[in-house]
Amino acid sequence: MSKSLVQFIIEEQRHIPGATGDFTGLLSDIEVACKQIAHAVNKGALIGVLGSAGSENVQGETQKKLDVITNEIFLKNNEWAGHLAAMASEEMDEIYPIPAQYPRGKYLLTFDPLDGSSNIDVNISVGTIFSILRAPEGVTNPKTEDFLQPGTKQVCAGYALYGPATMLVITTGHGVNGFTLDRDIGEFMLTHPNMQIPADTQEFAINMSNQRYWEAPVKRYIDECMKGKDGGREKNFNMRWVASMVAEVHRILTRGGIFMYPFDTKEAGKAGKLRLLYEANPMSFIVEQAGGASSTGRERIMELKPSGLHQRVPVILGSKNEVERVVSYHKGA
Ligand code: P6P
């Protein structure tokens, strides 16, 4: 019988000097939220949760009913236990301070409750992404700027993938471990210990329809992948694009690959599509902990000082040797 997530977290906690169980409690609350989201996503049309909510989020994107429902699930499961001082979500303009009727704790939680939700109505895998930061010392009434910490300050990052199997993948800075939901007992069980990304790959993931908007280094890299051995690379490449970052990252953790949502000139003022605090940073922490790399093309994503709660950044992550090749093309440009 493999280890449950709860047992794994408690055993992990023993490595953390001075651990009070606070962090373990927070991760357990997040786990329950992901189980409830898995249920809602799995039921889909049967419980009338598909389709548009008829509203827009801070990103100006039309919200799906499940965007709103899953955001509520995350808030309700994580606001009451006293582990958090505040939360921030892709689906909310402002931060969410823990309501006065609940105790406050020392952590901050950022999350994208349903990433890739444009896929939900066509039954393609979607996911939840979360990141845990410490509130600045002594801060019990956090402001937005208390969330604006570089990715290197994360104490934990993870995602839930609602696919053929529901999985939870997490890192606390000691490697990456994957758990599969056993619906018969309602527990996430350790099935993918110590996940590692191969340093090399033959698979790239990018939205090719944006090709005319890319910068020269990205155009060069993708052109070489497309030409393979006929264009100077030592191998031929395959392409994937699920339009669900969680699914792409999980594939890369499982068999290698490079995922790119680079800077493009498609919309003025948008540095990229993906959000730093609750997409790029948590996924970068996980990828780096699995031996991969994650860059904007010019800088290590985890070292960026965030300028805003919903800041977007270019993302190039995955197999170390391919990410480093793309970075070298940017240096040479
Ligand atoms: P496009 C989903 O909306 C998301 O944020 C990521 O999960 C995904 O990788 C990307 O956007 C897809 O973007 O432009 O291909 O729809």
Side-chain angles (χ1 to χ4, degrees), residues 154 157 245 276 279-290 292-295 300-302 315-317:
Q154 294 174 98
M245 187 186 194
L276 177 57
E279 290 173 326
N281 266 343
M283 290 311 206
S284 298
F285 190 15
I286 291 167
V287 163
E288 288 196 5
Q289 281 291 311
S294 183
S295 170
R300 181 186 174 211
I301 285 178
M302 294 256 282
V315 177
I316 297 160
L317 62 76

Side-chain angles (χ1 to χ4, degrees), residues 8-67:
F8 180 86
I9 299 167
I10 290 168
E11 287 178 352
E12 277 278 289
Q13 175 186 300
R14 291 182 188 136
H15 304 315
I16 304 169
T20 62
D22 206 17
F23 179 71
T24 300
L26 171 55
L27 259 185
S28 297
D29 295 343
I30 291 169
E31 178 192 7
V32 170
C34 291
K35 286 180 191 173
Q36 290 177 7
I37 292 173
H39 172 77
V41 166
N42 184 255
K43 286 292 178 195
L46 294 172
I47 57 173
V49 294
L50 299 186
S52 169
S55 51
E56 268 194 2
N57 64 15
V58 64
Q59 330 286 342
E61 295 163 342
T62 303
Q63 288 179 305
K64 299 287 187 184
K65 285 178 192 167
L66 273 171
D67 284 322

Side-chain angles (χ1 to χ4, degrees), residues 125-128 159-169 244 246-247 250-251:
S125 299
V126 290
T128 296
Y159 62 78
L161 175 58
Y162 312 109
T166 292
M167 288 193 68
L168 195 60
V169 173
S244 182
V246 175
H250 190 72
R251 184 188 60 247

